[in-house]
Amino acid sequence: MVLKLQQSHHHQSVAVKGNEQMGTKRGYTFIQSNRDWLPKLILLWVMVMGFISTWIYKKMDADNNVRREEVLSSMCDQRARMLQDQFSVSVNHVHALALLVATFHYYKNPSAIDQETFAEYTARAAFERPLLSGVAYAERVVHSGREKFEKQHGWTIKAMQREPSRLRDEYAPLIFSQETISYIESLDMMSGEEDRENIVRARATGKAVLTSPFRLLGSHHLGVVLTFPVYKSKLPPKPTMEERIVATAGYLGGAIDVESLVENLLGQLAGNQAILVNVYDITNSSDPLVMYGHQNQDGDWAVVHESKLDFGDPFRKHQMICRYHQKAPTSWTALTNVFLFFVICLLVGYILYGAVIHIVKVEDDFREMQELKVRAEAADVAKSQFLATVPHEIRTPMNGMLALLLDTDLSSTQRGYAQTAQVCGKALITLINEVIDRAKIEAGKLELETVPFNIRSIFDNVLSLFSEKSRNKGVEVSRDKTNRKPSLAVFVSDKVPEMVMGDLGRFRQIITNLVGNSVKFTERGHIFVKVHLAESTQPVADTKVETCLNGGSDEGLLISSACQFKTGYEAADERNSWDSFRHLVVDEELRYDAPVNTIDEASRGITLMVSVEDTGIGIPLIVQDRVFTPFMQADSSTSRNYGGTGIGLSITKCLVELMGGHISFISRPQVGSTFSFTTVFKRCNKASYNDTKKSIVELPSGFKGLKAIVVDGKPGKQNGHVFKLPKVILLAKNITNVELEKAKAAGFADTVIMKPMRASMAAACLQQVLGIGKKRQAGKDMLNGSPVLHGLLCGKKILVVDDNMAHQRVFAGALKKFGAAVECRESGKAALKLLQLPCCFYACFMDIQMPEMDGFEATHPIRMMESKANEQMNGGMDEDSGRKGEWHVPILAMTADVIHATYDECLKCRMDGCVEAL
Amino acid sequence: MDVVNQLQRQFIDYSASLHREGFLDDQFTQLQKLQDDNSPDFVVEVASLFFEDCEKLINNMARALEQQQGVDFRQVDASVHQLKGSSSSIGAMRVKDVCVAFRSFCEAQNREGCLRCLQQVTHEYSLLKNKLQTLFRQQILAAGGSIPVVE
């Protein structure tokens, strides 16, 4: 055994390993295999998201700057354009003034302009030149003409330093000036370096030229001097430089206050506060000169826009530079957006991480569970194997003990104890056997054998076994209960072959289990086993009598040509109802002549359908789904009432499934249960069939076509039937020899069959009767009534009380039929007279509804009388009263309407029963 | 023998037709079964008892119902009950059925209904009597005897 256990352990551990491997294989997923990378992955995710966020922010910021630059450039260009326009307007005015001087000073002779005129005109036209602080005219004087000029004007030509000018080739003294700048009159413009250069350039080009910016004398504003040449004579259409220089008469100049000009201009425009504007003279590109604006002013140097300015002087270049007053403000929108984006990304990352972690956790748990499951299963297997082996070890010594228990001579007490021990031991062994079966099936160790056997004889055996048991039960329980034992019967369809190949023992076990269950749970009614081929859809059609009748049933049991079966109790499965059996009988009569054996010999397997029907307590609905679960019973109270381990049905189910069938049941509580199962057997081949055939009793073939009526039961139900049968066989359960003699003396019984009636016994008996039947003309001189009933009533005096003559007559006739001596009375009073003690009536039937004195009223004085008599002669005895020690005439009420109330009333009036009579 | 057989079949047919038409039920069959050598005229005896009883009861009821006022319905009811018992003991189904209706009218104290039922009962009763007489005659013939001149 140790070896076995070790083996099993080994086996089990192998199984566990296999399972584990399977589990791990299944457990590997992508997430599982990369679980260590998870924290790194989440970090990477955060970083990537951070980068992306920064990038987005930068992009948005750059967009902002571009927009700023665009705005700046457009503003700057606008300002530059306007400045240019204003400047050119001023230049045009100066040009006009130059033309004026040329026209009125040189073309007119004498000159139409003198200083006063010029001053007045310029002063009055000053509104047109708001930016020019003043204009002045300088005449070209060559050195040769200096003295003449000085003489003519009355002053000497002065240089810029207010001293008489040194000698030069030519001079340009101011002759006319606006009053605002009259202080520079008579100054030689040629003496200043810048002015001289300006003048030279102006007369060469004939256009307005500008000086570089400088601080104006009066206002200290930055400004430039604009110089225009004035020519003496009209120039040819395309004058050369020399021609221009020769024709030059003088120069008109004006100082432009650039600073106020720009200031003015900017003041007119919107957005003035936001930007800083600088204007430079960049003629010398390496050293730009400021014309407007402060070089060192703060401001945003990041964004700068340069606009070209063209003031009409081709030699000078100017440009305007604009920038923002303040640095670009931080873009809160962009920042917020980016921040939100980042947060969302973080959350997404967190969620993903959480999900993955969860998956990992679930998978871990799953694997753990699987491991536990495998272990639990292994434990279960181990348990099963243990159970499969250990009970063997228990059973063997147990058997030895039981065998030896009663072997020696024992005193009566000892023997009694030993017998008890043996009974207990046997019960224990039965239980152990069940456990072994169950365990064997679970461990898959049960093997089915295949032997030929006779199905009918199996049923015969099993049924007789149970009727034996139930009879014992009946003896043990109280007397009135014996009447309530169920009857037991079997049908085997004709189509079912006699011999089949299969596991006889196991099949027998199934039947035993099911029938045993039914017997256990059925108090009254019937237990009915039906066997037919699963192929035939109709309920059993061609059936022969195969009966095992167990007596003691309260109700009549009638079996005719085929089999009729009725105990008055409803069955759970209606297919087995009384009606369907009536059909069977008809069927049987119709096709009696048809060949019975229609089975195709070629078909190999035989599927048998067996149903076991009972009228027991049924199975409660709530437990119906776990009926086949091992160790499950309907409930503990049932367990107490009926005992058992609850393992039987599960074994049965396993066995049925092993044999290739199914088991199912229909059950209605308090009505009964019907268990049906199918099994598959092999068809028996001829050789083995012949071997076994000899050993069994040839059963029913001799009786085909015979009709039989079996009557069993009490009077009242079957008293009127006409029986035209040639033989009467008395069926008895526990018949005593005395009764037997009596029965034979009565001359109606050919023989007696002890119940339960088994097919084999019935067959033998029938044969016996028929064999001797020829001699006697049985039946003609027989009374047509129930033999049992006849035996019961023969010679007994019975009183019938009824006012209805017809009724009385009929009833009396019925009783007389059974040999009773019947007295009739028409009223309760008359009956009372007859029933005075000591009376000699076996029983009294009394109509309830009678004039004068009805049944209840009549019963009362009788019972009074009897009880008085009983008190007086305690222990007295009378043959006819039927009861020891007391007077008691059984009084049975007769009534047409037996409703419950009436029955109760009968009992209240101390009647003994109630007969539904018409 | 052929004649007897024929007669027997006729008898069986007739008795079956009586069953079919509802005049008689199983109870009558039971009665027939009770008849044996010990009491060969059992059925006839019972039937004649029944007929006597019936006539008596019908007369009783008719008398009770004739009274213009103060009909004693309890008395009528008792008679009907008895009639019902008798008819069911002989298996006269149709008479019994009418009795059931009759009783309900009695309980309702409905004189019109009672009278109608009384008429029906009388009718059914005479019908049954005729039928049964025919039957008995056939029965005797079938048994191989001759028709008694009586009745």
Side-chain angles (χ1 to χ4, degrees), chain A residues 863-892:
Chain A
R863 291 293 180 232
M864 290 291 284
M865 204 162 64
E866 281 173 352
S867 58
K868 213 182 282 174
N870 286 337
E871 276 170 30
Q872 283 171 3
M873 40 181 298
N874 201 7
M877 197 172 158
D878 191 272
E879 309 171 311
D880 291 325
S881 74
R883 288 217 181 182
K884 282 182 185 173
E886 62 177 30
W887 294 100
H888 187 93
V889 177
I891 300 179
L892 299 163

Side-chain angles (χ1 to χ4, degrees), chain A residues 585-602:
Chain A
V585 176
V586 175
D587 268 0
E588 171 70 17
E589 280 166 357
L590 284 178
R591 18 168 147 162
Y592 191 76
D593 293 331
V596 173
N597 199 355
T598 54
I599 299 164
D600 181 13
E601 289 287 328

Side-chain angles (χ1 to χ4, degrees), chain A residues 493-567:
Chain A
S493 162
D494 245 11
K495 284 184 179 172
V496 177
E498 268 180 49
M499 302 296 294
V500 293
M501 301 276 284
D503 193 325
L504 174 135
R506 297 300 170 188
F507 185 64
R508 196 192 159 101
Q509 191 178 1
I510 294 171
I511 305 285
T512 313
N513 273 345
L514 289 179
V515 176
N517 255 2
S518 290
V519 168
K520 193 160 77 178
F521 293 113
T522 307
E523 293 265 311
R524 59 207 174 134
H526 62 259
I527 294 154
F528 176 47
V529 185
K530 196 173 70 171
V531 187
H532 55 93
L533 284 182
E535 283 89 344
S536 60
T537 47
Q538 285 280 339
V540 214
D542 303 320
T543 46
K544 278 182 262 184
V545 193
E546 284 288 329
T547 51
C548 286
L549 297 178
N550 179 28
S553 167
D554 198 21
E555 308 288 335
L557 179 72
L558 187 87
I559 295 181
S560 163
S561 61
C563 189
Q564 295 180 356
F565 194 79
K566 188 188 182 186
T567 54

Side-chain angles (χ1 to χ4, degrees), chain B residues 48-96:
Chain B
S48 51
L49 271 173
F50 168 68
F51 292 143
E52 277 171 31
D53 205 21
C54 270
E55 268 165 43
K56 195 177 75 198
L57 288 168
I58 287 173
N59 285 337
N60 278 348
M61 288 187 287
R63 221 175 302 125
L65 285 168
E66 262 167 28
Q67 276 152 21
Q68 286 302 317
Q69 60 242 50
V71 180
D72 187 355
F73 280 105
R74 196 178 299 168
Q75 194 199 333
V76 179
D77 186 48
S79 302
V80 177
H81 177 65
Q82 213 157 21
L83 184 59
K84 189 183 148 218
S86 305
S87 55
S88 56
S89 74
I90 199 174
M93 205 155 80
R94 283 164 77 151
V95 179
K96 192 183 86 186

Side-chain angles (χ1 to χ4, degrees), chain A residues 171-467:
Chain A
Y171 306 95
L174 284 171
I175 53 171
F176 306 137
S177 65
Q178 205 178 332
E179 251 174 303
T180 49
I181 52 166
S182 55
Y183 54 89
I184 58 165
E185 202 177 349
S186 75
L187 288 182
D188 178 12
M189 283 300 130
M190 286 291 224
S191 60
E193 185 65 23
E194 290 224 338
D195 291 331
R196 179 188 161 83
E197 197 184 315
N198 241 17
I199 286 165
V200 170
R201 269 199 298 133
R203 71 184 182 197
T205 57
K207 286 182 181 174
V209 293
L210 297 170
T211 59
S212 56
F214 62 97
R215 298 248 164 234
L216 293 177
L217 290 176
S219 63
H220 292 288
H221 283 173
L222 280 170
V224 290
V225 169
L226 175 75
T227 309
F228 230 90
V230 176
Y231 299 105
K232 266 185 276 192
S233 55
K234 285 174 184 152
L235 289 169
K238 281 192 179 169
T240 58
M241 210 164 69
E242 282 75 29
E243 280 172 344
R244 283 179 192 277
I245 294 167
V246 172
T248 302
Y251 321 99
L252 190 72
I256 295 179
D257 184 349
V258 177
E259 215 166 332
S260 0
L261 172 67
V262 177
E263 205 85 53
N264 222 356
L265 186 69
L266 294 181
Q268 291 168 18
L269 291 168
N272 197 24
Q273 310 302 323
I275 58 172
L276 288 174
V277 176
N278 283 4
V279 180
Y280 295 95
D281 180 342
I282 52 160
T283 312
N284 182 1
S285 58
S286 61
D287 179 25
L289 299 169
V290 177
M291 281 173 81
Y292 171 76
H294 302 284
Q295 191 67 43
N296 298 327
Q297 211 164 13
D298 287 338
D300 182 14
W301 285 101
V303 185
V304 173
H305 186 78
E306 296 176 0
S307 297
K308 288 260 183 277
L309 286 172
D310 180 13
F311 288 148
D313 182 352
F315 290 101
R316 294 220 168 255
K317 286 176 186 162
H318 297 89
Q319 79 172 5
M320 179 184 268
I321 292 179
C322 304
R323 59 206 156 92
Y324 281 104
H325 221 302
Q326 286 161 343
K327 298 219 175 221
T330 328
S331 169
W332 286 110
T333 359
L335 213 58
T336 320
N337 284 350
V338 167
F339 181 71
L340 285 178
F341 173 77
F342 186 64
V343 165
I344 287 169
C345 286
L346 276 187
L347 285 178
V348 167
Y350 179 74
I351 287 167
L352 286 177
Y353 183 72
V356 169
I357 288 287
H358 185 71
I359 289 170
V360 167
K361 195 172 170 310
V362 166
E363 277 179 354
D364 281 354
D365 286 356
F366 171 71
R367 206 174 306 154
E368 199 179 332
M369 290 292 179
Q370 221 167 20
E371 228 163 83
L372 288 177
K373 185 180 156 244
V374 166
R375 285 208 321 248
E377 277 169 357
D380 193 47
V381 168
K383 186 204 77 184
S384 294
Q385 280 167 344
F386 177 77
L387 279 180
T389 46
V390 167
H392 274 295
E393 316 295 324
I394 300 172
R395 192 168 55 168
T396 318
M398 193 82 186
N399 277 330
M401 274 156 61
L402 291 181
L404 298 174
L405 201 56
L406 294 170
D407 256 12
T408 51
D409 288 334
L410 296 170
S411 74
S412 61
T413 323
Q414 283 170 328
R415 182 161 286 273
Y417 290 162
Q419 271 166 349
T420 312
Q422 198 181 31
V423 169
C424 295
K426 275 180 182 164
L428 193 55
I429 283 192
T430 317
L431 176 59
I432 289 171
N433 281 342
E434 278 185 347
V435 172
I436 288 173
D437 276 343
R438 173 77 214 172
K440 265 189 184 168
I441 292 164
E442 256 182 25
K445 282 184 179 175
L446 194 80
E447 281 170 11
L448 293 177
E449 53 181 356
T450 310
V451 294
F453 66 94
N454 184 307
I455 291 178
R456 287 167 178 78
S457 68
I458 292 260
F459 281 107
D460 222 26
N461 284 338
V462 172
L463 268 283
S464 66
L465 174 75
F466 278 105
S467 30

Side-chain angles (χ1 to χ4, degrees), chain A residues 793-799 819-823 834 839-844 880:
Chain A
L793 293 180
C794 187
K796 300 282 165 61
K797 279 183 80 179
I798 290 174
L799 179 63
V822 184
E823 283 271 341
L834 268 180
C839 86
C840 51
F841 285 103
Y842 184 69
C844 173
D880 291 325

